[in-house]
Amino acid sequence: EVLTEDPETAFFTLANREDLNPEEGSIHHCLYQFTRNEKLTETNKLLCDVCTQRHYGPKKNIKSEKKYVYTNAKKQMLISLAPPILTLHLKRFQQAGFNLRKVNRHIKFPEVIDLAPFCTVKCKNVAEGNTKVLYSLYGVVEHSGTMRSGHYTAYAKMRSMNNRLSDLVLRGQSPQALETEPVKGQWFHISDTHVQAVSASKVLSSQAYLLFYERLL
């Protein structure tokens, strides 16, 4: 579905991105790069139906003559609906000639993350006036090995049930107030049938492949 947005607010976010100075090698830097403003020029110009009709007339004449007008444009990927559960999937491979190579670099990630700098200013389920969209980490999947073989393990936080999060999932209610601290609980490392209690620092030093966050209400 194509929606026409006010050009004055189309590229605005809930929190000022200019205040960000994301450290390279962090999940904030990954999100910043993924949601950056891109200019579409030269061979990447956008086919503009409005410009084409303005120049050549109605569409029925355009198709027969195969004439189109391309124009410079801006593109930005932003979050329009903040999910109850946020899943971040890190790309852990890169092209090396004709082969794929595993990326083992550690990516820093926090226990509490603010998505506001990556959300559109008109984010649908954020209460008016809120400039923070906070999430608390509750699960991590880690992969060790190579592209051909390896082993998956997981970190999970045992915590109390969040009834207000259930309401958000079932009824889509926008939170009116946000907690700023991570959800309290005990972290466990799970590897096949082995389960062991671990510290939060151990979790944050893992080679994350998948990150699971729950919305703080």
Side-chain angles (χ1 to χ4, degrees):
E1 183 181 1
V2 178
L3 299 176
T4 301
E5 295 284 349
D6 182 351
E8 294 297 322
T9 59
F11 295 93
F12 277 44
T13 51
L14 277 175
N16 191 349
R17 290 169 65 90
E18 294 179 2
D19 293 338
L20 283 176
N21 185 22
E23 180 184 356
E24 191 170 350
S26 68
I27 198 68
H28 290 96
H29 186 261
C30 295
L31 287 168
Y32 188 85
Q33 289 293 98
F34 186 76
T35 59
R36 72 186 187 279
N37 194 318
E38 300 176 62
K39 293 182 179 179
L40 304 179
T41 60
E42 299 180 356
T43 57
N44 290 321
K45 283 185 178 181
L46 191 70
L47 191 156
C48 177
D49 288 334
V50 174
C51 304
T52 301
Q53 290 184 46
R54 187 185 298 132
H55 194 273
Y56 292 109
K59 278 188 175 181
K60 59 183 179 180
N61 298 329
I62 298 171
K63 289 184 178 179
S64 59
E65 298 176 12
K66 293 185 178 180
K67 294 180 179 178
Y68 303 96
V69 173
Y70 293 82
T71 184
N72 293 332
K74 288 194 299 183
K75 169 191 169 186
Q76 188 173 24
M77 302 280 284
L78 293 173
I79 298 168
S80 62
L81 185 70
I85 299 298
L86 173 68
T87 304
L88 299 177
H89 182 183
L90 279 68
K91 182 180 176 182
R92 282 288 181 186
F93 65 90
Q94 66 184 66
Q95 193 77 30
F98 293 102
N99 300 314
L100 292 177
R101 182 171 59 192
K102 173 80 181 296
V103 177
N104 290 312
R105 181 182 182 184
H106 174 67
I107 300 298
K108 294 181 180 179
F109 55 95
E111 280 196 84
V112 173
I113 191 169
D114 184 6
L115 276 195
F118 316 110
C119 292
T120 174
V121 72
K122 295 181 180 179
C123 199
K124 297 181 180 67
N125 58 348
V126 175
E128 187 175 353
N130 277 357
T131 57
K132 289 183 179 295
V133 183
L134 302 180
Y135 288 81
S136 178
L137 184 72
Y138 73 90
V140 179
V141 172
E142 183 179 41
H143 178 268
S144 58
T146 66
M147 293 293 295
R148 294 183 178 275
S149 64
H151 181 57
Y152 289 96
T153 60
Y155 294 91
K157 178 186 276 190
M158 187 176 71
R159 62 213 187 280
S160 59
M161 183 176 178
N162 190 335
N163 292 322
R164 289 181 295 175
L165 184 63
S166 300
D167 290 339
L168 178 60
V169 173
L170 297 174
R171 301 180 181 85
Q173 295 175 343
S174 298
Q176 298 300 313
L178 293 171
E179 299 292 337
T180 58
E181 298 297 324
V183 176
K184 293 181 179 179
Q186 173 63 55
W187 281 101
F188 289 90
H189 182 229
I190 302 102
S191 178
D192 294 334
T193 58
H194 300 282
V195 179
Q196 180 183 12
V198 294
S199 64
S201 60
K202 172 69 174 175
V203 177
L204 297 178
S205 65
S206 64
Q207 297 280 20
Y209 179 56
L210 289 167
L211 296 168
F212 299 91
Y213 288 87
E214 61 183 334
R215 187 129 175 225
L216 286 173
L217 303 181

